[in-house]
């Protein structure tokens, strides 16, 4: 009779896999995305429920406690998190997913049942990827929430240290699979492997600066899926493999999109922290022309079309709501308002879109970089709010610049450019921005939220 | 053979994943990530079998139960936060 129940379970997994895929398909458009998420959640629910029918599961005490506690933590985390803290939330979820795979791998080894060489290899992989995902995500979270510095952390000999860790991991892996020949027990090897993978995760993310965070989060997202996938191999469980690889593929695609948007290769993003800072002797000519918010109002009042280019600074200043107010004022005034979103604006893929959605800006007002660049000359005003590197014309015109070749939003080609900025500090890439010195650029210094608030009040009067 | 058969599944689902995710517009990348996070909580299914099987020993059950706890956070937190985000994505009225 056991085989019958196994059949039911596995057949239900097939249905769940189908629903996961259908859910992801629905996620392809904003109008159906919410339904897609629901379909995916239903798939998860039936997969969990049918698993509980397994005849080998006898003791439900710990399961009930663990699921209840996990649900409570998950529920409150999802409810209480501020939308501006989304990158941190996603990082933490990545980390928790990785750690779950670590414990599945650990429990598999501990059970000691049916450990063939194949199972040992995949279990080791699950432990390794899970460990790297966990510690890497924690470092990424600490960087994003500014508990540690957001800048790249490097020290001399970092590459050598990393090399030694990789060699040690390979050696441990060998000992793990071929352990009967060695003096250490499998649990001892397991602890060492776990420690090494955690250390490696930290070393991997530490040298990566704040502006490259979208790449790192995508990559860790992918790892959390791959860890689940490896755990699926260890447990010979189809649904883990399917769902894990869907997540893995999604993370890899996002990583690739982010890298392309910065015109850098993945290895350049991961290891450029080790390289010497690029110095250019090129001099930017021109002068910075400040403008008061009151004067900006007169220009905006006369403008027929405005394009808004937000960056991480908008998230920091929480300026999205007041920007929406300004948008309404401008539209009432007969002005067209568009938002131009660079793929790596903010700290994670789609960060700006979520913030603007929170402020109730319709997604139909949001345009991708390529669409807006085609017609940027026609805009009377380009308002750059807390963005820097993604509008840096040096990427187009200064061959020696470290960001030369990166696709940017050509804000400088608009008739007038307003840059809302706290001060003259350079962006995360640490590069001067010639945009600030262009003849058609005016700098509006100060907190973006206050500046926009002043302009909105002028419109109201 | 079991391993080969599992590799087949892996190969096919990676291709399906690539095809599907490529069509997701940039606007939805953040909900896509948090939704993917929730899906990676599928580890809970594997963890359940380890947490409830008394024949595997008490220690395994504790480790498994902790994995259930973590993966449930992923599932519940991931789906809820994704839903919260997607509810905000609106067309103009």
């Amino acid at each position: 009779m056991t085989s019958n129940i196994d059949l039911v379970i596995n057949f239900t997994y097939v249905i769940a896999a189908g629903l996961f895929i259908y859910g992801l398909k629905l996620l392809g458009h904003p109008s159906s995305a919410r339904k897609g998420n629901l379909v995916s959640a239903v798939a998860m629910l039936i997969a969990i429920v049918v698993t509980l029918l397994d005849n080998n599961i006898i003791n439900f005490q710990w399961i009930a406690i663990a699921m209840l506690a996990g649900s409570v933590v998950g529920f409150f985390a999802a409810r209480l998190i501020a939308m501006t803290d989304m990158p941190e939330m996603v990082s933490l979820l990545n980390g928790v997913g990785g750690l779950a795979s670590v414990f599945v791998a650990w429990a598999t080894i501990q059970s000691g049942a049916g450990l063939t060489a194949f199972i040992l290899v995949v279990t080791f992989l699950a432990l390794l990827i899970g460990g790297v995902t966990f510690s890497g995500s924690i470092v990424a979270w600490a960087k994003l929430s500014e508990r540690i510095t957001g800048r790249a952390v490097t020290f001399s000999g970092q590459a050598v240290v990393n090399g030694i860790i990789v060699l040690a991991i390979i050696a441990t892996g060998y000992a793990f699979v071929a352990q009967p020949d060695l003096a250490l027990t499998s649990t001892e090897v397991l602890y060492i492997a776990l420690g090494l993978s955690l250390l490696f995760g930290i070393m991997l993310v530490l040298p990566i600066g704040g502006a490259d965070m979208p790449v790192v989060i995508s990559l860790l997202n992918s790892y959390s899926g791959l860890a689940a996938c490896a755990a699926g191999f260890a447990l010979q469980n189809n649904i883990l493999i399917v769902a894990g690889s869907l997540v893995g593929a999604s993370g890899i695609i996002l990583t690739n999109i982010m890298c392309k948007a910065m015109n850098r290769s993945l290895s350049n993003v991961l290891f450029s922290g080790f390289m010497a800072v690029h110095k250019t002797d090129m001099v930017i000519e021109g002068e910075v022309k400040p403008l008061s918010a009151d004067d900006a109002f007169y220009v905006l009042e006369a403008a027929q079309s405005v394009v808004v280019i937000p960056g991480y600074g908008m998230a920091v200043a929480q300026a999205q709501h007041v920007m929406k107010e300004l948008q309404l004022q401008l539209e009432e005034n007969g002005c067209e308002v568009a938002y131009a979103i660079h793929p790596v604006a903010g700290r994670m893929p789609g960060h700006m879109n979520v913030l603007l959605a929170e402020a109730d800006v319709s997604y139909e007002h949001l345009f991708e970089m390529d669409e807006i660049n085609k017609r940027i000359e026609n805009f009377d005003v380009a308002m750059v709010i807390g963005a820097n590197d993604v509008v840096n014309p040096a990427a187009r015109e200064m061959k020696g610049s470290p960001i030369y070749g990166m696709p940017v939003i050509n804000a400088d080609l608009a008739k007038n450019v307003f840059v809302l900025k706290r001060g003259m500090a350079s962006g995360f890439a640490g590069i001067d921005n010639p945009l600030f010195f262009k003849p058609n650029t005016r700098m509006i210094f100060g907190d973006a939220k206050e500046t926009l608030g002043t302009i909105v009040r002028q419109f109201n009067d | 053979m079991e391993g080969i058969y599992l590799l087949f599944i892996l190969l096919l689902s990676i291709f399906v994943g690539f095809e599907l995710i490529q069509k997701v517009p940039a606007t939805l990348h953040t909900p896509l990530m948090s939704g993917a996070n929730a899906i990676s909580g599928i580890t809970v299914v594997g963890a359940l079998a380890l947490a409830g099987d008394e024949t595997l020993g008490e220690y395994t059950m504790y480790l498994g139960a902790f994995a259930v706890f973590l993966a449930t956070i992923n599932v519940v937190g991931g789906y809820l936060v994704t839903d919260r985000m997607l509810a905000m994505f609106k067309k103009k009225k």
Side-chain angles (χ1 to χ4, degrees):
Chain A
M1 284 313 286
T2 314
S3 66
N4 267 346
I5 288 183
D6 275 349
L7 201 66
V8 170
I9 291 175
N10 278 296
F11 182 70
T12 313
Y13 283 169
V14 175
I15 296 173
L19 287 175
F20 277 132
I21 291 168
Y22 183 57
L24 278 177
K25 193 176 156 55
L26 289 179
L27 212 58
H29 195 273
S31 61
S32 62
R34 200 176 178 192
K35 199 174 143 213
N37 188 51
L38 189 67
V39 169
S40 173
V42 169
M44 183 65 75
L45 185 68
I46 64 168
I48 292 173
V49 169
V50 80
T51 305
L52 292 173
L53 296 178
D54 191 330
N55 280 350
N56 290 325
I57 301 180
I58 318 155
N59 189 328
F60 286 92
Q61 186 193 347
W62 287 107
I63 291 178
I65 294 172
M67 292 198 89
L68 189 68
S71 303
V72 169
V73 174
F75 177 83
F76 283 104
R79 271 299 148 91
L80 300 178
I81 192 89
M83 277 302 142
T84 35
D85 295 338
M86 226 42 228
E88 285 95 319
M89 173 82 175
V90 169
S91 275
L92 281 182
L93 284 177
N94 279 338
V96 170
L99 196 60
S101 295
V102 166
F103 276 90
V104 167
W106 191 346
T108 309
I109 299 296
Q110 197 63 44
S111 74
L115 297 178
T116 62
F118 178 75
I119 303 277
L120 281 173
V121 170
V122 287
T123 310
F124 186 75
L125 278 177
L127 187 82
L128 196 66
I129 304 173
V132 169
T133 311
F134 173 66
S135 60
S137 298
I138 296 301
V139 176
W141 166 77
K143 282 191 175 220
L144 289 165
S145 55
E146 283 171 354
R147 280 172 172 79
I148 59 172
T149 172
R151 303 250 160 201
V153 177
T154 50
F155 55 87
S156 58
Q158 202 157 3
V160 180
V161 173
N162 284 354
I164 292 171
I165 296 176
V166 171
L167 285 179
I169 287 176
I170 295 171
T172 328
Y174 178 75
F176 192 70
V177 178
Q179 25 110 359
D181 311 338
L182 288 154
L184 292 170
T185 67
S186 64
T187 7
E188 279 164 333
V189 179
L190 183 118
Y191 294 149
I192 297 170
L194 186 56
L196 283 172
S197 69
L198 293 176
L199 185 63
F200 192 57
I202 295 170
M203 298 296 286
L204 207 61
V205 181
L206 266 186
I208 296 172
D212 294 341
M213 274 302 150
V215 177
V216 177
I217 297 184
S218 310
L219 195 65
L220 290 170
N221 193 228
S222 167
Y223 286 172
S224 76
L226 294 178
C229 198
F233 272 97
L235 300 169
Q236 316 251 312
N237 189 320
N238 294 340
I239 189 77
L240 254 73
I241 296 176
V242 173
S245 51
L246 288 175
V247 176
S250 135
I252 287 169
I253 288 180
L254 288 176
T255 309
N256 195 20
I257 294 174
M258 295 302 114
C259 284
K260 266 193 193 147
M262 297 197 295
N263 190 37
R264 293 164 72 187
S265 68
L266 181 58
S267 63
N268 182 279
V269 173
L270 292 180
F271 304 117
S272 66
F274 304 143
M275 293 171 200
V277 181
H278 205 96
K279 286 249 162 58
T280 50
D281 42 2
M282 243 171 268
V283 188
I284 302 168
E285 285 174 5
E287 54 173 328
V288 169
K289 293 171 287 290
L291 186 74
S292 73
D294 296 332
D295 291 337
F297 160 72
Y298 293 111
V299 181
L300 287 171
E301 198 188 21
Q304 291 299 306
S305 56
V306 171
V307 58
V308 179
I309 305 161
Y312 183 59
M314 187 185 77
V316 175
Q318 297 269 17
Q320 66 272 27
H321 296 284
V322 61
M323 184 56 233
K324 164 76 181 180
E325 279 181 56
L326 180 60
Q327 179 201 329
L328 293 176
Q329 300 278 17
L330 286 167
E331 282 172 344
E332 214 170 282
N333 204 23
C335 171
E336 180 212 343
V337 181
Y339 292 81
I341 315 290
H342 192 282
V344 291
R347 286 290 177 272
M348 70 180 297
H351 191 184
M352 293 298 118
N353 305 74
V354 169
L355 288 184
L356 291 170
E358 188 202 7
D360 213 20
V361 174
S362 158
Y363 59 80
E364 288 173 328
H365 279 113
L366 273 48
F367 297 94
E368 289 182 28
M369 171 171 59
D370 296 338
E371 288 172 73
I372 227 72
N373 272 346
K374 274 182 227 154
R375 55 191 180 103
I376 191 104
E377 299 88 358
N378 303 331
F379 283 99
D380 290 332
V381 179
M383 285 180 78
V384 179
I385 305 178
N388 191 342
D389 297 329
V390 297
V391 289
N392 193 338
R396 220 171 52 236
E397 56 196 28
M398 290 174 85
K399 274 225 166 76
S401 168
I403 61 164
Y404 181 74
M406 168 176 159
V408 291
I409 298 173
N410 301 326
D412 54 309
L413 300 182
K415 288 171 194 143
N416 295 284
V417 186
F418 290 167
V419 180
L420 279 72
K421 212 170 174 320
R422 271 175 297 184
M424 273 307 284
S426 49
F428 253 106
I431 312 152
D432 280 331
N433 195 335
L435 174 68
F436 306 156
F437 302 88
K438 295 268 178 186
N440 57 339
T441 301
R442 296 291 178 275
M443 304 295 289
I444 308 176
F445 290 115
D447 180 74
K449 195 173 167 182
E450 281 169 26
T451 306
L452 292 171
T454 310
I455 301 175
V456 168
R457 272 195 300 281
Q458 294 268 24
F459 266 104
N460 283 332
D461 290 342
Chain B
M1 271 313 279
E2 180 77 0
I4 300 292
Y5 155 74
L6 294 174
L7 279 173
F8 247 115
I9 295 179
L10 175 71
L11 182 81
L12 293 175
S13 36
I14 285 180
F15 271 98
V16 171
F18 274 131
E19 285 301 317
L20 285 173
I21 310 295
Q22 232 136 25
K23 298 200 178 79
V24 177
T27 297
L28 291 174
H29 278 167
T30 297
L32 169 67
M33 290 189 89
S34 60
N37 258 323
I39 296 179
S40 75
I42 191 71
T43 326
V44 72
V45 166
L48 283 174
L50 294 162
D53 192 343
E54 282 179 342
T55 58
L56 299 177
E58 216 167 55
Y59 195 33
T60 304
M61 286 175 62
Y62 293 146
L63 292 172
F66 194 62
V68 170
F69 166 69
L70 293 169
T72 310
I73 296 179
N74 243 3
V75 170
V76 176
Y79 281 121
L80 284 180
V81 87
T82 308
D83 187 66
R84 209 181 124 196
M85 261 189 277
L86 289 174
M88 301 185 314
F89 280 84
K90 288 183 209 110
K91 278 175 124 164
K92 65 182 154 206
K93 283 147 248 156

